[in-house]
Each structure stands twice: as structure tokens, then as C-alpha cells.
Amino acid sequence: MEINGEMEQRPVIDGPTNPVVSSLLSDMYQFTMAYAYWKAGKHLERAVFDLFFRKNPFGGEYTVFGGLGECIHFIANFKITEDEISFLRSTLPSSCEDGFFDYLRGIDCSDVEVYAISEGSVVFPRIPLMRVEGPIAVVQLLETPFLNLINYASLVATNAARHRFVAGKSKTLLEFGLRRAQGPDGAISASKYSYIGGFDATSNVLAGKLFGIPLRGTHSHAFVSSFMSPDEITAKTLPHSNGSDSCDDFVSLVQTWLSKLQSVESFRGSFSETSQSELAAFTSYALAFPNNFLALVDTYDVIRSGLPNFCAVALALHDLGYKANGIRLDSGDLAYLSVEARKFFCAIEKEFQIPSFGRMAITASNDLNEETLDALNKQGHEVNAFGIGTHLVTCYAQAALGCVFKLVEINDQPRIKLSEDVTKVSIPCKKRCYRLYGREGYPLVDIMTGENEPPPKVAERILCRHPFNESKRAYVVPQQVEELLKCYWPGNSGKEREPLPTLEKIREKCINHLNQMRPDHMRRLNPTPYKVSVSAQLYDFIHLLWLSEAPVGELQ
Amino acid sequence: MEINGEMEQRPVIDGPTNPVVSSLLSDMYQFTMAYAYWKAGKHLERAVFDLFFRKNPFGGEYTVFGGLGECIHFIANFKITEDEISFLRSTLPSSCEDGFFDYLRGIDCSDVEVYAISEGSVVFPRIPLMRVEGPIAVVQLLETPFLNLINYASLVATNAARHRFVAGKSKTLLEFGLRRAQGPDGAISASKYSYIGGFDATSNVLAGKLFGIPLRGTHSHAFVSSFMSPDEITAKTLPHSNGSDSCDDFVSLVQTWLSKLQSVESFRGSFSETSQSELAAFTSYALAFPNNFLALVDTYDVIRSGLPNFCAVALALHDLGYKANGIRLDSGDLAYLSVEARKFFCAIEKEFQIPSFGRMAITASNDLNEETLDALNKQGHEVNAFGIGTHLVTCYAQAALGCVFKLVEINDQPRIKLSEDVTKVSIPCKKRCYRLYGREGYPLVDIMTGENEPPPKVAERILCRHPFNESKRAYVVPQQVEELLKCYWPGNSGKEREPLPTLEKIREKCINHLNQMRPDHMRRLNPTPYKVSVSAQLYDFIHLLWLSEAPVGELQ
């Protein structure tokens, strides 16, 4: 297929083919159903499925859509290999006929069409993120992989966006989750979709390599503990940053600065003896990275040891024309410690006339999440960058987004999935979806219509109805109308294919979309739900179909 | 390396190499530290790290250890490729010297030793799951991938074991989490480690293929909705199970049975009109899988439609010598519905003299977790098998296990990581670990000793001390002593290598270990903590080292 060639040109968005993403990455029942459809001669019937979720995660009122590129990559490469067919044959009941395996051997997604909202968009419950059309047996085989690829991607992108919202636009956000993520690929997905959701960098080197995400990292507590004292440092020479000259004994220069610091009247008493192990580690790290000196200062005691040791090294670097990057705090009262660190840096700037020493970067990590960021904001802090791991990548606050994949039409017959729980009733029909914008440029409401209804028009009044609640309805006069579902996989339809954007473009779209939302939808406490509606015509049809399908009860 | 050849013989445990598990699956700071170690001439210093966790997950008092095989596989294949070196060179500061990249090019794990508790064991806080020794720069590169491979594997195996504990040994447990898992590999790991933790089967076809885990699956609601009425079934012939004869019109046979059911006096009123769409779907499914007929009965209404439709098809199958498998319930009050279904099956057994029809299998799914299983048990239910997805695979109740990797010795010098939070203080020294068993065969306590202390002896009294709490100590006379850390990767030590067992053996070990525990450690409510201790000698040493490292405060 032509698209394969084209997609291989897009390593940034698609990454290398993930070989665990085989056509067997599916639930067993998709294959048993495929057999039953085939056996009934029903496998080629044209079906339409919607992929959507029912509730925004994390108690919020918005979701970021991620994973579309991977789904398109999946169908572009969808093919069941001989080896996989042998496995299926050994697993399915032996009564399954050979013709079925011949059928499986021949299928691909050339007859499937995928319409989707653009990746990185802000999305809402019940509006299809994707509409997938094609032969029912094939489309069902796509259900599980699509759900797998979208559920977590969207969840973690949303989580990242929420962390960005609390941290504020000026802060640097670092994804540090590799060690706590759910397996290697969970970690790589976490890095990718956290970046889309607004993070600035990751610690995950492989994700950096695969997707071009900026990398960040310096050293750990073990690095500090691995040193005993500055005596063990043998290579002590550091050239001046301008190359002009060299300092023969950087270790002594650091010691000199530490003594100077200890003799400053106003610092006296706050520290007298700092850890020699830590001082050696910092000095060594600076010798290795004189242009990128950032030290983890909490191995022993931030105030009494880490900060003065860091400053002694930073000042020694300054003598040689280098500029230290800053510190990282990984324990304790981050608000208090960051404020104390800032005061100390400013005092040094003043005492030794070192311009901008007071603006030294402070990074904080240690089990951060939305709540702790919010608490830090309330307490007041001096942190410039946050490293966030466990809570971000595992989506600790809510570990799953419940996307579902529902049949809405077969052979041009609309289908509805009923449930005693009205929130679980699916919205039937092949639909079109629009986002209507108001006078101030904010999105006002999303509306679903039947495939063949005329689209909403700018400046023309349209009735938007709640899909299930008769009394909830409103007229809207849109200032702008955006059709949400675009054709990302045309199959044999001859339609034009929407190109897959790069990761950077998706991230940009996401950040722009989030900024465009009316603030009351975005706030953490009691956000206003964004409205999702159906056209009057679709409303009437849903309720007609509902009545015709629902069993009539007997009160006894 | 010889082991590579040997490991390729073990596809069941190691699976195909997961290519996302590259040597770059690590935090950036492991590489910046490697450079700083190299630059300081310190990279070959021999370090010992412990991998352990501090708290059992899910509010319980035990954890199942998973992921060891993948770690050993990782180090067996550890090698930084030219391509990866180019990437690192482009990412690290340009001041990094060429010699470092030559060094990286040459490293492997031939000089690393790994000692570990056997995979599938029940394990406890603070006892090292793994002890990793080797050149400090190399061992630090292993930190992040090991934590990644073990944290989630152990968490989900523990979660599976906890679900098994509540469900009881007689129930069948099915892992249905693929669509909600954290990425493709998260799903595959979930299937693998849920199986180790005591689940019986998975829906994930790829995991079934990779690891030989039994597969289960039948059909979804969409399958039911895709049919309109039995009129659309054209191929109606079903041969008798003994091959003797054929039924030319299985659809009519089903209709006949449905009418018979509707005419039974005692059933009358409970259903009069069942869904024709559902009846068609069930009939079709039975025609495809006459030996494996299991139907999802809640698309319309379990009592009024799903159950009678299922029974009509099951009875028609019975006429032809087949035995239906059962039903699946995926919504509503599972306790009530399963009891009603059981009553109905028993009534049919009696009414039509169909032996064992009453013992039809009932599978339940729909957002199940430990709490809902417990609630079902309390209400009384007739479910034989549970399908568990989201809560199992995302570890919803606690989405991360906080394994850490701490330096405990370098150049034969013990190291301690202090913290103001005593639970975060690490236990220094290269250690040995033992499990001591009591008279009834239960494990009593785990004890850590220094590397060179004499091991505890059977029938000899030994003092077991809490590592940090002076007053907590007890004498124990073990009836059996088990050394916990075994050599899984001998490096150049010449020691014998413990073989990696198959997945089935790991699962068996896990189930046996869980059964062997004293019941009060295992209960869901207020379980008794299992005791973890240090020898008297190690206790004294920890506290000596602690005092020597801790800064002395000044009260102001």
C-alpha cells in the first residue's frame, strides 16, 4: 500500500514498528466471533463502530486525545502471518474449518475506513474519537488493539495536561517515570504522551531517541554515596571556559570557596561541617560537566551540607568562567527548602557580587502530583522545574480511561446498545460531529448529527439537545463550526487522507487547544461540564429506536 | 556468551526478545553519572546495590516477586550498539571525551553478578529481591531497567494473588485486561504476571502465543447487536456430535425448544417474548461452536431474554449430543442474576430430565475487583468463573510498587543512605538473607546478616532484631533455614548459575508459597505483618555507621 512507504518517512510520529503490536494483540473473542461471522456468511457485512469514552478522568471535565497515530500505523501494517495462523488454528476448536484460515490469511485493512478527531485535541464524553467502518469481522479484530493504544495514551496525555495546568506555564516539567511505569512500553508511551500533554523533557533515554523528546538527568544519591572524600579525586585540572588558561587544582579552589562561605558572618552557624563525601561527588560531577553542573543536594542535609557544598563548587566554576545550572531537591519540605535555597543564592549573589547567582534553577522531585503541586503553590515556593514520575506515568489518581467500541450501524441499519444504566446507552447511527464556537472564540458545545443531515452553519441558530435528558436543550448560534471527524484511513472510499502530523505538531495542537478552552471547564475544583449534544433529528431517532428495542416490562 | 545460547532454548520463560528493551531503556542520569565516574577514573570500582521495596502494596502484608527472568534476559543481551552510542554522543554535552564512548562500546555484563530470590516467591519489605554487584558505572546503567522490569511485574502478580485469595481456589479466574492496560507491553506483562499470581487464563491472544497461557473468549455485545432475526441464518445444518446424523434445520429446533420453555407452567410469566436479534446471535454462535457454546446473556435483559434464549439453544444442542458450556453476565446485580440463572438451569434439568444442566458454568465480568468479589461472596452467588480486567491490570487500587535500588557497598566499604524518614534509611553492607521456618511449617521471619556471618542453623536459637527499632527483637529457633538469595548471573565469579524456571514452574512456586503462609498474614482485613529482621551483629553495625554519617544538629 502506498501509505506504508509514506509512513516509513515519518519516524518521529510512528517510531520504529513496535513488534509486540502484532495482529494477535487482540482479545480471543474477536477471533471466535470472526469465525462465527464467517461461518454465518456474515463476515463481509459492512459495520460502523464508534470509539468513545463516557466520563472524563481525574474528576475533570476534559480529556486529551492520544494514540491515533499508533492506530493508523497498526492498520497500515495489519496482516496475519502464517505463524500466527498456525497458532490460531491450534487454539481454536479443531472443528473450525480450513476456509476460515484461508480467509484470515487474506485480510488486511484496505476495505476499512477510519474517521477520527485530530490527535492532541481536547475531547469530551460520548463524542466518537474514532469512527471505524468496514467488514464486521475485520473491524472487530481492530477493537482491542485500538482500545489498548488509545486508552492509556489519552489518559496519560490528560494527566500531563492537568499537571501542567497546576504547575503553571512558566515552570519546566520533567517526566521521570521510567522506573515506576507499567513495563518498558508503558514507560515509552508515558514519555511520548506526557510530552504531547505539555511536559518539556523526559529522563527516558530510549524515548528521547525514538521520538526526539528532550532528555534531562544529572545524578542520583548513589553517586553521592559512592564517594568518600575529595582526597580520592586525582584528575583535578579544569580548563577555563574560554580555553585561555587552566586551574591545576579545582579541588583546592572548591575548598577555598567553602572556607570563604563558612567565614561569612551572616552564614555562620547555619553550617559548619559539610559532608566530605558529598563535596567530593559534587566536585567530580563539576569536573565532568563544568557547563552543566546541577547537583542533588539532599543526600545528607540540604541546609547544613548540600547547599553550601553546591555553592562552593558553583563559585569555583564561576571563577573559571562557567555558570552552574542549579540544584535538585528530592525529599523534605520542598516549599521551605526551595525558599531557603533561594535566599542563600541571593545572599551569595550580594555577598560576592556574582550577577544572577540568585536566579539559580531549583528542581524539585519526590512523589509529586497535582495535589502536592497545588499545595506548593499555596505555601509559596521557589521551584523552577518539577520532576514527576509515579503519579504521572501510572495515572495513580485514576489508572484507566474507559474507552469503549460500540456497533452503531450494520448494513445501513442503525444499532443501539441498551442498558439499564442510561449513561451506558450508546448513540446509534453513522454520525457527523461538530464543535461550535461562540463569540469570544471559546468552544461552546459539541453536537452529533446523522450522517446526512445538513451541517450546522455559522450565524444560524441550531437546537442542541442532551442525548437522553428531554428537558436539557439549548439554541446556539455558532460563530465558527468545526467538523471533528476527519478521514485518516480512506480504505477504498477514494477520499483524501488526512496526514499524520509530527509529535511536535501534535504537542502544539494540544497546548493551543487547552489554552483555547473557557477557564471554568479547566479548573481543578468543580469545573463546569462542557456540553455534548445531539441534533433534534438524531434525538428523535435515538428515542424511537430505544423504544423499539427495549423489552416491555410487566409489573408483578 | 554461553548463556545466550542456552537462553534461546527457553522461549517460554524469556519470550522473544522485546526490542523496546534496549540498553537505552534507562534514565539519562545513569549515562551522565557513567561519564562522571569514567572521568574520575572511578567507573571500575566494585559496587554492590540492593533492589528492594519498603511497603507491601494494596494494604496487604505480602508481595509476589516477578520480573527476574526478564532482568536476567536483559543483562544477557546488554550491549550498547553503535547507533545508540551515536545518539548518546549527540545528547551528552559536546565536551564529553571520545574515550568515554570507546568505554561504552566495550561494556557488557560479564563482570556483573546478580543474586536474587526465586521468581514467584512471596517476599517482604526491605529484604533485597536482588543484589547486583559489579563495576559501578555498569551496575548503575542496570538500575532503571531492573526497576522497570520488576516493579510492575511484582505489583500485578501480587494483585492477581490477592484476587485469587478472595475468589477462592475453586473459581476460574480469567484476565480480561488487554483493552485497559497501559500500552501493548503493559497488557502482555499483565497477562504473564497475572498467570504467575494464580489466574487460569487470559483473553490476550498474543500473550497466549508468547507464553503458552490458556486463552479464553467467546463473543461481545456487538456480536449480538449485529444480528436482526433468525430469518437471516441461511446455513442451518448441524451434524450430530457423534457424526451419525444431521439436523437440517437447527434454527427450527431452537425455536421449538423456546416454545417448549414458554409453555412450561412454572416459567410462564417470567418471559414471553425474547429478543430475536439475540436468539439469532446465539443460534449462529452455536452453529459455529457446537462444542463450545457460551453466550453473553445481558445484551437485552438477562431474565426475560438472555437466559431463555440461551437455554433454548443449549437444549437444541443437547438433542444433537452436544453440551453447552454456559453463560456470561457482564452487567447488573451479579449475585442475584447468577442465583436466578442457577435456579432456572436446575428447573430445566428437572423439567426435561437433562442430567447436569443445573451445573452449567456461569461467568461474571464487569469492573470486578477485590471488593466486589468480597461483596459477592457475602451476598451469596452462583458464579463459577470471574473475568477481571481494568482493576487487575492497571492495579487500580495502587498503581505502583515503589522498588528502589540502593548502593550498600563500594570497594568493600559499606554505605548507608540516610533520611529524616527512618523507613527510608537503607540497610548497608553486602548481605545474606534467610527465611526461618517454625514448627508448623510456616515461615516465621526473614533475617539479613552480614556476608561473612555464620548462617542461622536449624534448632539453634538466633536473635532477630528489627533493623531500626531497638526494642523490637525476638529469639527464634528455626526448624528449617532457607537461604533466599541465589546466584542467577555469576559474571566472572565462577559460581554455579541458578537456572531460570519455566513460567509454569514459577506459577507453581507462587501458588505453593502463598499456600504455605500463615493465614493471618494473608487476610484482607488487618493482616498481621510478617517480620523482617537483621542479625544482632548487623544491627550494631548499621547504627554505628548511621551515627558516623549523620550530621550533628544544633538546637537554636
Side-chain angles (χ1 to χ4, degrees):
Chain A
M1 241 183 163
E2 194 196 346
I3 195 160
N4 281 309
E6 191 184 335
M7 294 189 71
E8 276 151 24
Q9 310 276 315
R10 303 175 179 277
V12 172
I13 176 65
D14 292 303
T17 310
N18 184 341
V20 301
V21 183
S22 117
S23 306
L24 297 193
L25 187 77
S26 209
D27 285 313
M28 189 63 200
Y29 76 6
Q30 311 292 8
F31 289 97
T32 49
M33 284 192 281
Y35 182 72
Y37 287 134
W38 177 85
K39 183 81 178 142
K42 204 178 155 67
H43 53 299
L44 299 179
E45 289 182 5
R46 193 115 190 127
V48 182
F49 283 80
D50 282 351
L51 188 152
F52 62 97
F53 60 91
R54 298 186 182 113
K55 201 172 176 330
N56 290 301
F58 309 118
E61 291 295 347
Y62 66 96
T63 299
V64 171
F65 176 37
L68 173 62
E70 294 193 60
C71 291
I72 300 301
H73 190 71
F74 184 87
I75 56 176
N77 292 287
F78 187 86
K79 192 80 201 149
I80 307 179
T81 65
E82 276 310 313
D83 175 49
E84 291 169 340
I85 286 175
S86 303
F87 177 73
L88 289 169
R89 196 190 281 271
S90 72
T91 303
L92 287 166
S94 56
S95 60
C96 289
E97 297 168 28
D98 283 349
F100 172 65
F101 299 102
D102 293 337
Y103 164 67
L104 284 186
R105 198 169 280 125
I107 60 176
D108 59 25
C109 291
S110 57
D111 201 19
V112 171
E113 293 166 50
V114 177
Y115 300 82
I117 300 183
S118 347
E119 189 162 3
S121 297
V122 176
V123 291
F124 303 98
R126 293 205 196 101
I127 298 286
L129 306 177
M130 296 173 84
R131 185 179 82 211
V132 187
E133 310 176 23
I136 189 162
V138 176
V139 175
Q140 290 245 253
L141 290 178
L142 301 176
E143 171 178 11
T144 318
F146 278 16
L147 289 173
N148 178 278
L149 292 170
I150 282 173
N151 264 321
Y152 178 62
S154 301
L155 186 69
V156 77
T158 308
N159 204 16
R162 296 182 62 84
H163 281 80
R164 165 59 72 195
F165 183 83
V166 191
K169 287 178 192 172
S170 67
K171 302 300 174 192
T172 300
L173 292 184
L174 314 169
E175 178 266 308
F176 279 179
L178 171 53
R179 63 189 57 199
R180 302 287 168 82
Q182 305 205 337
D185 182 72
I188 292 168
S189 303
S191 303
K192 180 174 174 180
Y193 295 101
S194 295
Y195 187 62
I196 286 180
F199 270 55
D200 298 296
T202 178
S203 69
N204 181 339
V205 184
L206 188 56
K209 181 168 189 289
L210 292 174
F211 308 118
I213 304 171
L215 287 166
R216 289 286 284 273
T218 52
H219 70 84
S220 69
H221 295 118
F223 182 81
V224 175
S225 314
S226 79
F227 286 83
M228 296 294 175
S229 92
D231 300 341
E232 66 186 283
I233 303 176
T234 49
K236 303 176 184 182
T237 310
L238 186 63
H240 194 283
S241 79
N242 63 16
S244 65
D245 212 358
S246 263
C247 163
D248 291 337
D249 190 349
F250 184 69
V251 175
S252 295
L253 185 60
V254 169
Q255 294 282 13
T256 308
W257 270 110
L258 189 59
S259 305
K260 275 194 211 171
L261 288 174
Q262 280 161 346
S263 68
V264 174
E265 189 62 36
S266 57
F267 301 163
R268 202 168 283 170
S270 60
F271 58 90
S272 49
E273 215 177 280
T274 66
S275 161
Q276 291 298 292
S277 146
E278 182 177 65
L279 187 64
F282 289 0
T283 307
S284 265
Y285 196 82
L287 281 163
F289 296 107
N291 277 307
N292 304 79
F293 178 57
L294 194 153
L296 176 61
V297 293
D298 69 338
T299 305
Y300 297 100
D301 186 302
V302 175
I303 304 289
R304 288 189 297 219
S305 183
L307 274 179
N309 277 340
F310 166 78
C311 289
V313 177
L315 289 162
L317 283 173
H318 182 263
D319 277 353
L320 301 175
Y322 298 101
K323 200 170 162 307
N325 280 0
I327 59 166
R328 179 159 70 96
L329 300 166
D330 189 41
S331 59
D333 180 338
L334 299 173
Y336 167 77
L337 292 173
S338 68
V339 168
E340 288 301 305
R342 181 68 66 214
K343 277 189 213 157
F344 193 55
F345 296 148
C346 290
I348 285 173
E349 172 168 344
K350 203 174 157 200
E351 177 76 28
F352 300 107
Q353 300 292 315
I354 316 276
S356 84
F357 200 95
R359 293 204 297 276
M360 194 69 73
I362 301 174
T363 300
S365 49
N366 190 27
D367 244 8
L368 296 174
N369 60 22
E370 275 190 70
E371 278 66 41
T372 48
L373 292 180
D374 192 46
L376 283 172
N377 288 343
K378 284 175 181 146
Q379 290 167 73
H381 67 82
E382 285 290 338
V383 176
N384 306 98
F386 293 102
I388 307 180
T390 311
H391 289 268
L392 175 65
V393 305
T394 65
C395 299
Y396 210 93
Q398 180 178 331
L401 174 69
C403 279
V404 294
F405 193 77
K406 295 290 171 195
L407 180 71
V408 295
E409 197 171 294
I410 184 161
N411 296 328
D412 299 319
Q413 297 292 312
R415 301 304 280 158
I416 190 168
K417 165 71 185 77
L418 300 180
S419 172
E420 287 174 35
D421 178 357
V422 74
T423 65
K424 287 196 164 187
V425 173
S426 68
I427 298 178
C429 304
K430 189 193 276 198
K431 295 176 288 289
R432 288 179 184 270
C433 306
Y434 304 91
R435 184 157 296 173
L436 309 185
Y437 291 78
R439 219 173 294 276
E440 283 115 20
Y442 297 130
L444 283 183
V445 61
D446 284 6
I447 185 169
M448 293 174 265
T449 73
E451 172 78 353
N452 299 317
E453 286 185 58
K457 287 201 184 64
V458 169
E460 245 180 51
R461 200 173 79 147
I462 181 168
L463 183 62
C464 298
R465 299 201 63 164
H466 186 286
F468 305 120
N469 188 331
E470 201 181 358
S471 66
K472 287 191 178 170
R473 48 193 189 161
Y475 282 109
V476 172
V477 182
Q479 302 302 306
Q480 188 197 329
V481 174
E482 181 190 12
E483 177 147 20
L484 293 174
L485 294 172
K486 291 168 190 158
C487 180
Y488 280 91
W489 187 260
N492 296 327
S493 69
K495 286 183 189 142
E496 206 172 322
R497 189 174 71 84
E498 197 69 27
L500 290 176
T502 61
L503 192 65
E504 288 298 334
K505 288 278 174 211
I506 295 172
R507 181 170 188 266
E508 221 173 86
K509 167 174 299 246
C510 174
I511 292 170
N512 289 341
H513 264 211
L514 290 164
N515 285 338
Q516 203 183 27
M517 293 298 300
R518 214 174 59 202
D520 59 317
H521 300 309
M522 310 305 281
R523 66 185 173 218
R524 288 188 67 233
L525 279 181
N526 300 319
T528 313
Y530 180 83
K531 286 192 178 47
V532 167
S533 66
V534 295
S535 67
Q537 196 177 324
L538 184 54
Y539 178 90
D540 291 340
F541 185 77
I542 293 169
H543 293 262
L544 195 74
L545 196 64
W546 194 340
L547 282 178
S548 77
E549 294 272 348
V552 183
E554 284 176 42
L555 286 177
Q556 285 176 338
Chain B
M1 242 183 164
E2 193 196 347
I3 196 162
N4 280 311
E6 192 184 336
M7 294 188 71
E8 276 151 23
Q9 311 277 314
R10 303 175 178 279
V12 172
I13 175 65
D14 292 302
T17 309
N18 184 340
V20 299
V21 183
S22 118
S23 306
L24 297 194
L25 187 77
S26 209
D27 285 311
M28 189 62 200
Y29 77 5
Q30 311 292 7
F31 288 98
T32 48
M33 284 192 280
Y35 182 72
Y37 287 133
W38 178 84
K39 182 81 176 141
K42 206 177 152 67
H43 53 298
L44 299 179
E45 289 183 6
R46 194 115 190 127
V48 183
F49 283 80
D50 282 352
L51 189 152
F52 61 98
F53 60 91
R54 299 188 182 111
K55 201 172 176 327
N56 289 301
F58 310 118
E61 291 296 347
Y62 65 96
T63 299
V64 172
F65 177 37
L68 174 62
E70 293 194 60
C71 291
I72 300 301
H73 189 69
F74 184 86
I75 56 175
N77 293 286
F78 187 85
K79 192 79 201 148
I80 307 179
T81 66
E82 276 309 313
D83 175 48
E84 291 169 340
I85 285 175
S86 304
F87 176 73
L88 288 170
R89 197 190 281 271
S90 71
T91 302
L92 285 165
S94 56
S95 60
C96 288
E97 297 168 28
D98 283 349
F100 173 65
F101 299 103
D102 292 337
Y103 164 67
L104 283 187
R105 199 170 277 126
I107 61 176
D108 60 24
C109 290
S110 58
D111 200 19
V112 171
E113 293 167 48
V114 177
Y115 300 82
I117 300 182
S118 350
E119 190 162 3
S121 296
V122 176
V123 291
F124 303 98
R126 293 206 194 98
I127 299 286
L129 305 177
M130 296 172 84
R131 185 178 83 211
V132 186
E133 311 176 21
I136 189 163
V138 176
V139 175
Q140 290 243 256
L141 291 177
L142 302 175
E143 171 178 9
T144 318
F146 278 18
L147 288 173
N148 177 278
L149 293 169
I150 283 173
N151 264 321
Y152 178 62
S154 300
L155 186 70
V156 75
T158 308
N159 203 16
R162 294 183 63 83
H163 281 81
R164 165 60 71 196
F165 183 83
V166 191
K169 288 178 192 173
S170 67
K171 302 301 174 192
T172 299
L173 292 185
L174 314 170
E175 178 268 309
F176 278 0
L178 172 52
R179 62 188 58 198
R180 302 285 169 84
Q182 305 205 337
D185 182 74
I188 291 168
S189 302
S191 302
K192 179 174 174 182
Y193 295 102
S194 295
Y195 187 62
I196 285 180
F199 269 55
D200 297 297
T202 179
S203 69
N204 181 341
V205 184
L206 187 55
K209 179 169 189 287
L210 292 175
F211 309 117
I213 304 171
L215 286 167
R216 290 286 283 274
T218 51
H219 71 84
S220 68
H221 295 117
F223 182 81
V224 174
S225 313
S226 79
F227 287 83
M228 298 293 177
S229 93
D231 298 343
E232 66 187 283
I233 303 176
T234 49
K236 305 178 183 182
T237 310
L238 185 65
H240 195 281
S241 79
N242 63 16
S244 66
D245 213 356
S246 265
C247 164
D248 292 336
D249 190 349
F250 184 68
V251 176
S252 297
L253 185 60
V254 169
Q255 295 280 15
T256 309
W257 269 110
L258 190 59
S259 307
K260 275 194 210 170
L261 287 173
Q262 281 161 344
S263 68
V264 173
E265 189 61 37
S266 57
F267 301 163
R268 198 168 286 171
S270 60
F271 57 91
S272 50
E273 216 178 277
T274 67
S275 160
Q276 290 299 291
S277 147
E278 182 177 67
L279 187 64
F282 290 179
T283 306
S284 263
Y285 197 82
L287 281 163
F289 296 106
N291 277 306
N292 304 78
F293 178 58
L294 194 151
L296 175 60
V297 293
D298 69 339
T299 305
Y300 298 99
D301 185 304
V302 174
I303 304 290
R304 288 189 297 219
S305 183
L307 274 179
N309 276 341
F310 166 80
C311 290
V313 177
L315 289 162
L317 282 173
H318 183 263
D319 277 355
L320 302 175
Y322 299 99
K323 201 173 159 309
N325 282 359
I327 59 166
R328 178 159 72 95
L329 300 166
D330 189 40
S331 59
D333 180 338
L334 299 173
Y336 167 77
L337 292 173
S338 68
V339 168
E340 288 301 304
R342 181 70 64 215
K343 278 190 211 155
F344 192 57
F345 296 148
C346 290
I348 286 173
E349 172 168 344
K350 202 173 157 201
E351 178 75 28
F352 300 108
Q353 300 292 314
I354 315 277
S356 83
F357 200 94
R359 293 204 297 276
M360 195 68 74
I362 300 175
T363 300
S365 48
N366 189 27
D367 243 7
L368 296 174
N369 59 22
E370 275 190 71
E371 279 64 41
T372 48
L373 291 180
D374 191 48
L376 284 171
N377 289 343
K378 284 175 181 147
Q379 289 166 73
H381 67 83
E382 285 290 338
V383 177
N384 306 98
F386 293 102
I388 307 180
T390 311
H391 289 268
L392 176 64
V393 305
T394 65
C395 298
Y396 210 93
Q398 180 179 331
L401 176 66
C403 279
V404 294
F405 193 77
K406 294 290 171 196
L407 179 71
V408 295
E409 197 170 293
I410 184 162
N411 297 328
D412 299 319
Q413 297 292 313
R415 302 304 281 159
I416 190 167
K417 165 74 184 78
L418 301 181
S419 171
E420 286 174 36
D421 179 356
V422 73
T423 64
K424 286 196 165 186
V425 173
S426 68
I427 297 179
C429 305
K430 189 193 274 197
K431 296 177 286 291
R432 288 178 183 272
C433 305
Y434 303 91
R435 184 157 295 174
L436 309 185
Y437 291 79
R439 220 173 294 276
E440 282 116 19
Y442 296 130
L444 282 183
V445 61
D446 284 5
I447 185 169
M448 293 174 262
T449 74
E451 172 78 354
N452 298 316
E453 286 186 57
K457 287 199 184 66
V458 168
E460 245 179 48
R461 199 174 80 147
I462 181 168
L463 182 62
C464 298
R465 299 200 64 163
H466 186 286
F468 304 119
N469 188 329
E470 200 181 357
S471 66
K472 287 192 178 170
R473 48 195 190 160
Y475 282 108
V476 172
V477 181
Q479 302 302 304
Q480 188 197 329
V481 174
E482 182 190 10
E483 177 148 20
L484 293 174
L485 295 172
K486 289 167 192 158
C487 180
Y488 281 91
W489 186 262
N492 296 327
S493 69
K495 286 184 189 142
E496 206 172 320
R497 190 174 72 82
E498 198 69 25
L500 291 175
T502 61
L503 191 66
E504 287 298 334
K505 287 280 174 205
I506 296 172
R507 180 170 190 266
E508 221 172 85
K509 167 173 301 244
C510 175
I511 293 170
N512 289 339
H513 263 210
L514 290 164
N515 285 338
Q516 203 183 26
M517 293 300 299
R518 217 173 60 201
D520 60 319
H521 300 309
M522 311 304 283
R523 66 186 173 216
R524 286 189 67 234
L525 278 180
N526 300 319
T528 313
Y530 179 82
K531 286 191 179 49
V532 167
S533 66
V534 295
S535 66
Q537 196 177 323
L538 184 55
Y539 178 90
D540 291 339
F541 186 78
I542 293 169
H543 292 263
L544 196 73
L545 197 64
W546 193 337
L547 282 179
S548 78
E549 295 271 349
V552 183
E554 284 176 44
L555 285 177
Q556 287 174 334

